[in-house]
């Protein structure tokens, strides 16, 4: 199997290394907006660099992995679909609903595969939580609390391109909330704060956000995020039911300290970032993509699944701007 990797930044490099080690992947073709970066990575991995995207399609590949800037995702997904190629793409499909819907339509018209990169679906903790909820061990689920806290903010130049805190960061929480609980969000109420560094205000973004989500069975979920958690990278989910309560992301590297005299000590080596925290999950999702391309498993996260997470993010952004509850039915793209 020959796979084209478009984008050789941080996550593209991780994915290329994973694919290069896979027993069913014979070779890679790498390309990037910075040709020298692609060439350097290809040299390190013993693979081939292409001068541009055109060559990826012209030289012939069996599948495509897209890890470019978000603004290029939808066009590349469509290009691959028209070429009859299965695609793995980092989230989101696009920064807006029309772009997402258009790309999904191209994939569906072509009858090809689009697997989206929501790596938390492959994390052992979230997988265990999903199995526990589905087993009924918790009883009726009544409350979910989810959070994502970055230790350091992204570069100022990235913020205007990111789509904002809800679309760029909390979209992972929205996706995994649906995946773990098996329920749909029916309405949201969101708020955000830009009281931190000026670069967030200048980008029209917020550095901290929160949302209250109501699920279709009455379960209440709170979701929070910040770009400024100096203690470390913290991603958790608590699920409380009438019989029991569980937590994802609580281990000896969770960057939190207890004030209780008998509480656990602070982590000696807290998580520093998402690539470290979710390393095994990133590898697992690419291994799953190879299985999908080989016809050995069903698509674990298609474009329609990714669309629902984006719709929740859009609803939260609308709620934050207009300071009102927003029903998901107001957001385009529903069933």
């Amino acid at each position: 199997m020959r796979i084209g990797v478009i984008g050789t930044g941080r996550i593209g490099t991780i994915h290329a290394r994973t694919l290069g080690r896979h027993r069913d992947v014979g070779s890679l073709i790498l390309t990037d907006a910075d040709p020298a970066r692609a060439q350097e990575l290809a040299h390190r991995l013993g693979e081939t660099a292409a001068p541009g995207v055109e060559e990826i399609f012209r030289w012939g590949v069996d599948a495509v992995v897209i890890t470019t800037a978000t603004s290029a995702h939808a066009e590349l997904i469509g290009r691959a679909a028209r070429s009859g190629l299965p695609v793995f793409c980092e989230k989101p499909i696009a920064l807006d609903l029309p772009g997402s819907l258009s790309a999904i339509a191209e994939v569906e018209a072509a009858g090809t595969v689009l697997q989206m990169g929501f790596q938390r679906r492959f994390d052992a903790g979230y997988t265990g939580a999903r199995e526990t909820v589905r087993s009924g061990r918790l009883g009726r689920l009544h409350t979910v609390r989810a959070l994502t806290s970055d230790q350091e903010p992204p570069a100022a130049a990235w913020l205007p391109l990111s789509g904002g805190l809800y679309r760029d960061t909390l979209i992972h929480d929205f996706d995994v909330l649906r995946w773990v609980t098996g329920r749909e969000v029916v309405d949201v109420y969101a708020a955000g704060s830009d009281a931190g560094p000026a670069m967030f205000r200048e980008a029209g973004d917020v550095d901290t956000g929160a949302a209250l989500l109501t699920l279709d069975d009455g379960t209440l979920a709170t979701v929070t995020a910040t770009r400024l958690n100096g203690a470390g990278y913290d991603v958790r989910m608590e699920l409380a039911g009438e019989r029991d309560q569980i937590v994802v992301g609580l281990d000896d590297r969770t960057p939190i300290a207890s004030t209780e005299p008998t509480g656990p000590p602070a982590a000696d080596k807290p998580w520093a970032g998402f690539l470290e925290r979710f390393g095994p999950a990133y590898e697992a999702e690419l291994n799953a993509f190879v299985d999908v391309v080989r016809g050995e498993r069903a698509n674990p996260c298609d474009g329609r699944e990714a669309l629902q997470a984006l719709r929740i993010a859009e609803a939260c952004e609308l709620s934050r701007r207009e300071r009102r509850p927003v029903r998901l039915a107001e957001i385009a793209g529903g069933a």
Side-chain angles (χ1 to χ4, degrees), residues 296-320:
E296 295 175 353
R297 68 171 292 174
N299 189 347
C301 187
D302 63 19
R304 292 286 171 183
E305 288 285 289
L307 177 66
Q308 297 314 311
L310 179 60
R311 292 180 67 236
I312 299 168
E314 291 284 340
C316 286
E317 186 59 38
L318 179 61
S319 175
R320 180 186 74 85

Side-chain angles (χ1 to χ4, degrees), residues 75-126:
E75 192 279 328
L76 290 171
I77 290 169
R79 176 75 181 273
R82 293 189 296 275
S83 299
L85 294 173
V87 177
F88 175 93
C89 184
E90 279 300 323
K91 63 81 191 168
I93 297 173
L95 287 177
D96 58 24
L97 289 167
S100 298
L101 290 165
S102 175
I104 290 170
E106 291 221 57
V107 170
E108 293 177 346
T112 54
V113 169
L114 169 60
Q115 180 183 328
M116 294 302 299
F118 282 103
Q119 86 285 351
R120 294 188 195 182
R121 294 181 176 221
F122 297 87
D123 176 73
Y126 285 104

Side-chain angles (χ1 to χ4, degrees), residues 187-211:
D187 60 50
V188 310
Y189 190 87
S193 170
D194 62 2
M199 65 181 185
F200 291 98
R201 293 186 291 280
E202 292 166 359
D205 197 4
V206 294
D207 57 72
T208 303

Side-chain angles (χ1 to χ4, degrees), residues 269-329:
K269 187 182 178 183
W271 297 110
F274 63 92
L275 292 177
E276 181 185 35
R277 165 66 177 83
F278 290 109
Y282 279 117
E283 183 168 354
E285 70 177 355
L286 263 293
N287 290 338
F289 178 59
V290 173
D291 289 345
V292 170
V293 174
R294 289 171 55 84
E296 295 175 353
R297 68 171 292 174
N299 189 347
C301 187
D302 63 19
R304 292 286 171 183
E305 288 285 289
L307 177 66
Q308 297 314 311
L310 179 60
R311 292 180 67 236
I312 299 168
E314 291 284 340
C316 286
E317 186 59 38
L318 179 61
S319 175
R320 180 186 74 85
R321 288 199 316 268
E322 298 188 357
R323 295 178 176 271
R324 67 175 179 89
V326 173
R327 294 189 61 79
L328 261 291

Side-chain angles (χ1 to χ4, degrees), residues 11-320:
I11 195 63
T13 296
I14 295 291
H15 289 340
R17 286 174 177 162
T18 296
L19 292 168
R21 294 192 298 265
H22 199 290
R23 67 181 183 277
D24 294 318
V25 177
S27 62
L28 305 176
I29 303 177
L30 312 177
T31 194
D32 193 271
D34 178 354
R37 184 164 68 175
Q39 184 66 56
E40 193 273 334
L41 179 61
H43 177 74
R44 277 192 282 134
L45 299 181
E47 303 290 353
T48 301
V53 172
E54 292 297 324
E55 285 76 12
I56 292 281
F57 294 97
R58 194 166 68 241
W59 292 356
V61 293
D62 299 299
V64 173
V65 170
I66 300 170
T67 62
T68 61
T70 299
S71 58
H73 287 185
E75 192 279 328
L76 290 171
I77 290 169
R79 176 75 181 273
R82 293 189 296 275
S83 299
L85 294 173
V87 177
F88 175 93
C89 184
E90 279 300 323
K91 63 81 191 168
I93 297 173
L95 287 177
D96 58 24
L97 289 167
S100 298
L101 290 165
S102 175
I104 290 170
E106 291 221 57
V107 170
E108 293 177 346
T112 54
V113 169
L114 169 60
Q115 180 183 328
M116 294 302 299
F118 282 103
Q119 86 285 351
R120 294 188 195 182
R121 294 181 176 221
F122 297 87
D123 176 73
Y126 285 104
T127 299
R130 186 177 195 264
E131 292 170 351
T132 300
V133 170
R134 305 303 176 88
S135 75
R137 194 188 99 191
L138 302 184
R140 183 184 68 85
L141 188 66
H142 53 73
T143 307
V144 181
R145 308 174 191 93
L147 66 88
T148 295
S149 299
D150 292 330
Q151 184 174 23
E152 296 179 348
W158 166 248
L159 290 176
L161 308 175
S162 71
L165 187 69
Y166 294 101
R167 300 185 190 94
D168 180 50
T169 299
L170 279 170
I171 196 168
H172 281 288
D173 296 272
F174 301 147
D175 175 71
V176 86
L177 173 65
R178 296 181 60 250
W179 187 72
V180 167
T181 65
R183 313 305 308 191
E184 297 295 340
V185 173
V186 295
D187 60 50
V188 310
Y189 190 87
S193 170
D194 62 2
M199 65 181 185
F200 291 98
R201 293 186 291 280
E202 292 166 359
D205 197 4
V206 294
D207 57 72
T208 303
L212 172 64
L213 316 177
T214 304
L215 307 189
D216 58 11
D217 63 349
T219 300
L220 297 181
T222 58
V223 183
T224 65
T226 184
R227 301 283 200 181
L228 303 163
N229 195 59
Y233 181 70
D234 191 4
V235 173
R236 279 177 281 136
M237 173 182 273
E238 300 174 5
L239 298 110
E242 292 181 342
R243 296 178 188 166
D244 205 353
Q245 181 171 234
I246 58 174
V247 60
V248 178
L250 183 61
D251 59 21
D252 60 0
R253 298 191 64 182
T254 304
I256 193 168
S258 173
T259 61
E260 299 297 334
T262 59
D268 289 332
K269 187 182 178 183
W271 297 110
F274 63 92
L275 292 177
E276 181 185 35
R277 165 66 177 83
F278 290 109
Y282 279 117
E283 183 168 354
E285 70 177 355
L286 263 293
N287 290 338
F289 178 59
V290 173
D291 289 345
V292 170
V293 174
R294 289 171 55 84
E296 295 175 353
R297 68 171 292 174
N299 189 347
C301 187
D302 63 19
R304 292 286 171 183
E305 288 285 289
L307 177 66
Q308 297 314 311
L310 179 60
R311 292 180 67 236
I312 299 168
E314 291 284 340
C316 286
E317 186 59 38
L318 179 61
S319 175
R320 180 186 74 85

